[in-house]
Amino acid sequence: MMEDSLATTLIIFVCVFGALLVGLFASRYWPSTHLDERSKDVVKLGIGIVVTMTVLILSLMVSSVKGSFDTTDRDLRQFATSIIVLDRSISHYGSDAQPARLALRQYTVSAIHDLWPTGADPNIRIEGARSGKLLDQVETDLRALKPTDDAHRSYLSEVLAQYDAVIQARWIFIDDSSGSVLRPFFFVVVAWLMVIFATIGLYSPRNATVVLVMALSILSLSGATYLMSEMETPFSGVIVISSYPLRNALAQQMR
């Protein structure tokens, strides 16, 4: 949820900004021989390595989360397209297949409600058990059909093939919609940021300008983690996948 993402962002900001303040405070008592230019040059080399690794890991994390978000969006569109095609195939069979078409319509309504509910659990990635039973009912109704001629047998074979395509698209959607960022990486990056800003504070002058600029820098980094947290829950929060594909599929079924 958005509240969880904001809480995580605030915790990261407090931890990293606290590390900066610790560095600024410790510089008052640090031995002067450890703060001379020679020491500073060596420390820059070491921190430069940490900064490079942090930037690299952050870039990979952002790319991974964005890729997962885009993949889920693409899978949803493919899933919705498969539902539209199945509905059209069922309608071609005739009035005998109307119960299956009605069950498919009820499934689409239920899936939309489960994926984009009000106040939902942010871990919801796909429709619940009731929706799954509705989709099973579609197959039951289809297999109960008794074609009376070659044309209807051909239609039924096509419909069952389209149903299998919907099931396949659904499970691809489920598999690809899981989170992509490993939490240990997340915690390690935060620890590295604390080390970086604590070192910056150690070698920085203690004035309001330094504190303000560093606070803004930390806020920017915290904002990046907020965006990643939001994209990890593609069906809730501020950044969500559009429900238009499934709603469009439902509109097509109403015709």
Side-chain angles (χ1 to χ4, degrees):
M1 285 184 177
M2 181 175 64
E3 293 79 4
D4 294 335
S5 299
L6 287 174
T8 301
T9 303
L10 179 61
I11 291 172
I12 293 172
F13 178 83
V14 170
C15 289
V16 179
F17 187 69
L20 173 71
L21 295 180
V22 168
L24 288 170
F25 179 79
S27 65
R28 299 176 58 183
Y29 305 98
W30 217 256
S32 59
T33 54
H34 294 182
L35 299 176
D36 58 20
E37 289 300 320
R38 294 179 59 187
S39 298
K40 185 182 296 185
D41 291 339
V42 175
V43 171
K44 283 181 179 180
L45 290 175
I47 292 300
I49 296 174
V50 179
V51 169
T52 301
M53 291 299 298
T54 303
V55 171
L56 177 62
I57 296 300
L58 271 176
S59 299
L60 290 175
M61 289 172 66
V62 171
S63 176
S64 176
V65 172
K66 183 62 167 61
S68 177
F69 186 90
D70 290 341
T71 297
T72 301
D73 181 62
R74 181 200 65 204
D75 291 343
L76 176 66
R77 294 177 184 277
Q78 181 60 50
F79 183 36
T81 300
S82 299
I83 290 176
I84 294 174
V85 174
L86 175 59
D87 177 70
R88 287 288 176 267
S89 298
I90 294 175
S91 67
H92 291 160
Y93 186 91
S95 58
D96 290 346
Q98 194 62 26
R101 194 180 187 197
L102 178 60
L104 181 62
R105 185 183 305 167
Q106 291 173 337
Y107 164 76
T108 307
V109 172
S110 182
I112 292 172
H113 174 75
D114 287 343
L115 287 171
W116 292 275
T118 302
D121 185 328
N123 293 320
I124 291 177
R125 303 289 184 175
I126 191 62
E127 71 278 359
R130 178 178 178 274
S131 297
K133 290 180 180 179
L134 288 172
L135 193 56
D136 292 339
Q137 185 61 45
V138 175
E139 181 181 19
T140 300
D141 292 340
L142 290 176
R143 295 195 180 279
L145 295 174
K146 304 297 182 183
T148 57
D149 51 44
D150 290 341
H152 280 85
R153 276 190 285 272
S154 176
Y155 281 139
L156 181 57
S157 177
E158 178 184 347
V159 167
L160 290 174
Q162 292 297 338
Y163 176 83
D164 290 339
V166 168
I167 295 298
Q168 182 179 10
R170 176 178 180 264
W171 283 109
I172 291 175
F173 177 39
I174 293 173
D175 290 340
D176 287 344
S177 61
S178 59
S180 59
V181 175
L182 297 178
R183 291 301 170 183
F185 280 97
F186 191 79
F187 294 136
V188 167
V189 167
V190 173
W192 287 351
L193 289 173
M194 292 175 67
V195 171
I196 292 170
F197 280 91
T199 305
I200 292 175
L202 190 63
Y203 285 91
S204 297
R206 295 183 297 276
N207 58 61
T209 301
V210 169
V211 173
L212 177 60
V213 171
M214 289 298 101
L216 292 175
S217 300
I218 296 169
L219 185 61
S220 298
L221 290 170
S222 301
T225 64
Y226 173 76
L227 294 177
M228 285 190 288
S229 297
E230 283 294 304
M231 284 192 290
E232 271 200 298
T233 55
F235 299 109
S236 64
V238 176
I239 304 176
V240 296
I241 289 176
S242 173
S243 62
Y244 173 77
L246 275 184
R247 294 188 185 279
N248 180 55
L250 178 61
Q252 297 298 323
Q253 292 170 31
M254 297 297 184
R255 295 181 178 180

